[in-house]
Amino acid sequence: MTTTETTTTTGTAEWPTGTMTAAALRRVGDVGLVEIPVPEPLPGTALVEPVLVGLCGTDLELLHGSAAYVRDGRVRWPHVFGHEWVGRVVALAPGTSAHVAEGDRVVGHTMISCGVCRACRSGGRNNCSRLTEVGLYGQQGAAARYIRMPVHALSAVPDAVPDTEAALVEPTVTVIAGLEAVRCGPGDRVLVLGTGTIGLLATQLATRLSGAVDVVAVDPAGAELALGLGARRALAPDDTPPGAYDVVVEASGADAAFLQSLRAAAVGGRIAAIGVPSTSVGPLDACDLVLRGISVHGVRHGLDHYDRALALYASGALSARGMTNPPLPLDRVADAFADLARASRPAPKVVLAPQG
């Protein structure tokens, strides 16, 4: 994948111009390569070469047209996806002062906050009212030769963190935010529903925080991975004891799993709802929820936790062991989505290598 050879000088490095290859959802049900303009330099931005781009269930929903971003009209075709990624800074826009330099490895924040709305000014960037989300709406995704990012939405990757782990930082920050919301700590009995990427990350982190984590798994490979990453037991959905858990992490996004999380919570239980159901969930027994004092925390993201997530990987507290499939080059993007749709793939995370 090559970019046209014209460049614009931007300080110590040159900012490429012309066109570049990207993987895009060209319309519902159609994914492939497109040629798009290289983003122009804007004040306060960096141009980054993505090295690895992780795909997740939201990307599959975008392809199928079932994602909320498609239904409410925020997606424009062709849509360059990719919100979980690690890359290397190529150039900084003229006059940009940044905490990262050309050549640095970085991860990009999925949510880009405005910094001036009421939520941002009160310290709640996660709830920004003018939010854009990389690879989802308002901002080109990373499945391309280059991505332009505001420098404030980049975090430098420590040398001790390999690319395969850095590519998992985006889902990791949401797990951190979820476990903080439910105050997961020593002595808590924890249940994680799902053994996808978020479920396995939640299993690792909750095991460190509480010491007693069970998982609900629907496939043997996921159960084996969870047990290898610290889970005490792997349970089938029908074998999950009701009312037995202080903390429940709903990580699957399956419609039935949200209701199961309510049944599994003990009196006074706390639920971190991280998986995003594709439809309305019901019937919900609100009387039971109230009388048992169950707290449900919808977890939007973890915008303030990127550096913390990187530090956890750098220290060895979190691992990507067994969680990623071998990267595929950008021209095999259709194969990557076919793998993503297969529940029986060897590892939960499907990865693209845009420079491969």
Side-chain angles (χ1 to χ4, degrees):
M1 276 156 256
T2 59
T3 304
T4 52
E5 293 301 321
T6 54
T7 58
T8 300
T9 300
T10 59
T12 60
E14 294 181 327
W15 188 295
T17 62
T19 61
M20 64 180 182
T21 302
L25 308 173
R26 295 179 289 211
R27 59 183 179 275
V28 172
D30 179 22
V31 62
L33 299 183
V34 296
E35 289 292 315
I36 60 174
V38 175
E40 297 179 352
L42 294 176
T45 64
L47 192 70
V48 183
E49 278 188 335
V51 175
L52 292 178
V53 179
L55 305 185
C56 79
T58 299
D59 297 308
L60 194 61
E61 291 174 359
L62 289 169
L63 176 64
H64 293 163
S66 60
Y69 310 107
V70 177
R71 298 198 306 267
D72 63 19
R74 282 178 285 179
V75 167
R76 297 287 183 268
W77 313 108
H79 176 77
V80 180
F81 57 89
H83 59 278
E84 304 177 9
W85 59 276
V86 57
R88 194 169 296 277
V89 176
V90 172
L92 298 174
T96 296
S97 176
H99 61 289
V100 295
E102 292 144 358
D104 284 355
R105 284 192 310 145
V106 294
V107 292
H109 305 177
T110 293
M111 288 185 170
I112 300 177
S113 56
C114 72
V116 297
C117 72
R118 184 172 180 268
C120 286
R121 286 186 284 109
S122 64
R125 295 189 305 149
N126 219 51
N127 302 318
C128 174
S129 62
R130 301 177 187 176
L131 200 67
T132 57
E133 294 191 66
V134 176
L136 298 172
Y137 62 92
Q139 163 73 37
Q140 176 209 305
R145 182 75 173 86
Y146 298 115
I147 181 173
R148 180 185 64 203
M149 289 287 292
V151 293
H152 71 79
L154 297 173
S155 290
V157 178
D159 292 341
V161 180
D163 290 337
T164 51
E165 293 185 345
L168 293 178
V169 164
E170 192 276 344
T172 303
V173 301
T174 304
V175 170
I176 293 172
L179 292 176
E180 279 203 347
V182 295
R183 308 180 312 283
C184 182
D188 280 332
R189 300 163 297 172
V190 180
L191 180 69
V192 175
L193 283 83
T195 55
T197 301
I198 288 178
L200 294 174
L201 291 169
T203 297
Q204 291 186 68
L205 194 52
T207 297
R208 292 184 64 84
L209 292 171
S210 75
V213 178
D214 294 342
V215 299
V216 173
V218 295
D219 70 282
E224 184 177 354
L225 275 172
L227 292 169
L229 292 170
R232 181 180 61 173
R233 293 185 298 173
L235 306 170
D238 291 342
D239 295 334
T240 307
Y245 296 96
D246 307 298
V247 168
V248 181
V249 179
E250 203 307 277
S252 72
D255 297 349
F258 181 80
L259 297 178
Q260 185 181 7
S261 71
L262 295 174
R263 291 192 295 271
V267 173
R270 295 99 67 196
I271 298 171
I274 300 177
V276 182
S278 58
T279 61
S280 297
V281 175
L284 173 66
D285 188 346
C287 176
D288 178 66
L289 182 150
V290 172
L291 293 180
R292 290 201 293 131
I294 296 171
S295 302
V296 179
H297 299 263
V299 184
R300 191 181 197 192
H301 191 49
L303 186 52
D304 295 323
H305 299 304
Y306 278 83
D307 290 336
R308 182 176 171 189
L310 285 162
L312 287 168
Y313 284 111
S315 70
L318 288 177
S319 169
R321 186 177 73 254
M323 293 180 60
T324 60
N325 290 275
L328 295 175
L330 214 57
D331 59 8
R332 291 188 59 191
V333 62
D335 293 334
F337 271 87
D339 289 345
L340 189 63
R342 278 195 285 270
S344 60
R345 58 188 181 272
K349 183 56 61 180
V350 175
V351 181
L352 289 172
Q355 316 306 324

